[in-house]
Amino acid sequence: MSVEVKLKDVTVNTFLKKKREKQKITMLTAYDCSTAKYFDDAGVDSILVGDSVGMVVLGYESTTSVTMNDMRVFTAAVSRGAKRCLVVADMPFMSYHSSVEEAVKNAGELIRAGASAVKLEGGTDYLISVVKRCVESGIPVVGHLGFTPQYLNVLGGYKIQGKSADKTRFILNQAKKLEEAGAFCVVLEMVPEESAKYITENLNIPTIGIGAGRYTDGQVLVADDILGKYSEFKPKFARRYADLKSVISESAKSYINDVQSGAFPDETEIFHLSEDELKEMEKIESCCN
Ligand code: KIV
């Protein structure tokens, strides 16, 4: 019996090829099946099931409240919608820190939920050993350096990272270790454009920037930011392509008006009894009244 494993059109090799051929890699976050399908059909290379889900969908103040259970559910939903592009799932806060074994087990759970790769934040020696073991176990890994939201409390706020030559070299050093450990790509968040360019030019694996300027090998943005749905704040680096917040609230207001005025539902939106059943109803009415 032969088992056919359907690989996505976009694989880790596509990322490496795009870097070599100087084609930009496109990545967007998504958290539900239908948005994932629309992004996939639009031709995005990769969907990140980011732990930003905690802030933009679940209403938490930071990403640190997101659990493995949350990530499993959202990863499965996105994977059902994204048939072509590469789905990357974020490993949530504290799901990869207590031991390498626990980290690999949790990464495996996200692959089982439908992701093709996992992303984890940081580049310490411990994290490098996690990346190595994941890759050895068949789990592709995306690194994440620069501003790493899960370290918000340690970093003391949403601060640009790598703001000096020394700090840039430090990030490059961590990125190289991630590359050596087998990571196939690294996200660079909120670093100066010049630093991101230097890091990008000195790596063999692609960089995906968010708030990292124009010279990274690809770009990633949060879906709710590009769609104008998340209204708590708009990061400087996020470009808004739609105003879903207005679309949603205007739609809700129109619906409320239509229900209150009797304009909804109308003839096209209702079901009727057949003529025969109507006659039966009349009989019941005449016998009982
Ligand atoms: O969780 C997320 O959305 C991310 C992006 C900001 C890269 O990690």
Side-chain angles (χ1 to χ4, degrees):
M1 190 183 77
S2 77
V3 180
E4 198 189 324
V5 179
K6 169 93 179 77
L7 269 183
K8 298 280 184 91
D9 289 357
V10 181
T11 68
V12 297
N13 295 334
T14 316
F15 275 51
L16 300 167
K17 184 167 178 277
K18 284 205 160 193
K19 172 158 181 135
R20 274 198 311 273
E21 295 178 355
K22 298 196 182 330
Q23 290 173 33
K24 291 282 186 184
I25 299 164
T26 55
M27 182 186 266
L28 281 170
T29 71
Y31 317 103
D32 66 88
C33 180
S34 56
T35 309
K37 183 176 178 344
Y38 304 147
F39 288 168
D40 195 44
D41 290 347
V44 77
D45 293 314
S46 179
I47 292 181
L48 170 67
V49 190
D51 59 356
S52 48
V53 69
M55 296 170 77
V56 300
V57 176
L58 299 174
Y60 297 136
E61 282 194 357
S62 80
T63 60
T64 54
S65 304
V66 177
T67 64
M68 269 302 294
N69 256 347
D70 296 330
M71 289 310 299
R72 252 192 301 266
V73 171
F74 291 108
T75 299
V78 166
S79 303
R80 287 190 281 268
K83 301 289 177 222
R84 183 196 52 78
C85 69
L86 189 90
V87 175
V88 180
D90 253 341
M91 298 210 51
F93 182 63
M94 292 313 288
S95 66
Y96 51 105
H97 299 90
S98 53
S99 72
V100 175
E101 284 65 35
E102 182 74 2
V104 176
K105 183 180 146 294
N106 284 331
E109 297 273 316
L110 296 177
I111 300 294
R112 279 216 180 90
S116 294
V118 298
K119 174 165 83 58
L120 47 83
E121 297 182 7
T124 60
D125 288 348
Y126 166 73
L127 290 167
I128 299 299
S129 60
V130 170
V131 174
K132 255 193 199 135
R133 284 285 295 281
C134 282
V135 177
E136 281 167 9
S137 314
I139 302 171
V141 179
V142 176
H144 185 156
L145 299 172
F147 177 72
T148 42
Q150 292 175 11
Y151 292 77
L152 180 68
N153 295 319
V154 172
L155 297 173
Y158 291 88
K159 295 197 168 119
I160 301 163
Q161 304 295 306
K163 280 172 74 177
S164 67
D166 270 357
K167 286 177 179 153
T168 300
R169 271 192 287 272
F170 178 77
I171 298 176
L172 173 62
N173 193 31
Q174 289 196 323
K176 279 187 180 251
K177 285 187 185 164
L178 286 169
E179 176 177 306
E180 277 160 28
F184 71 94
C185 147
V186 58
V187 167
L188 293 177
E189 180 163 357
M190 285 217 300
V191 295
E193 178 172 83
E194 298 75 13
S195 311
K197 183 172 187 284
Y198 178 74
I199 295 164
T200 301
E201 287 171 353
N202 283 284
L203 286 179
N204 295 313
I205 55 172
T207 56
I208 309 282
I210 174 160
R214 289 163 288 187
Y215 302 107
T216 49
D217 297 304
Q219 298 285 336
V220 56
L221 281 178
V222 169
D224 294 53
D225 286 337
I226 71 154
L227 300 174
K229 189 163 172 249
Y230 185 63
S231 57
E232 296 305 304
F233 64 86
K234 180 195 159 303
K236 173 181 163 74
F237 54 77
R239 185 176 294 182
R240 200 165 268 176
Y241 289 87
D243 184 11
L244 280 201
K245 182 189 170 206
S246 303
V247 172
I248 292 169
S249 66
E250 288 313 313
S251 305
K253 282 180 198 157
S254 301
Y255 167 74
I256 292 163
N257 278 340
D258 285 355
V259 170
Q260 287 173 342
S261 69
F264 175 81
D266 71 14
E267 186 56 36
T268 64
E269 293 152 334
I270 56 185
F271 307 104
H272 287 292
L273 276 177
S274 66
E275 288 295 320
D276 287 350
E277 290 305 322
L278 265 178
K279 281 186 193 131
E280 283 301 313
M281 289 278 286
E282 277 160 21
K283 276 190 217 157
I284 297 168
E285 271 173 31
S286 60
C287 96
C288 302
N289 291 331

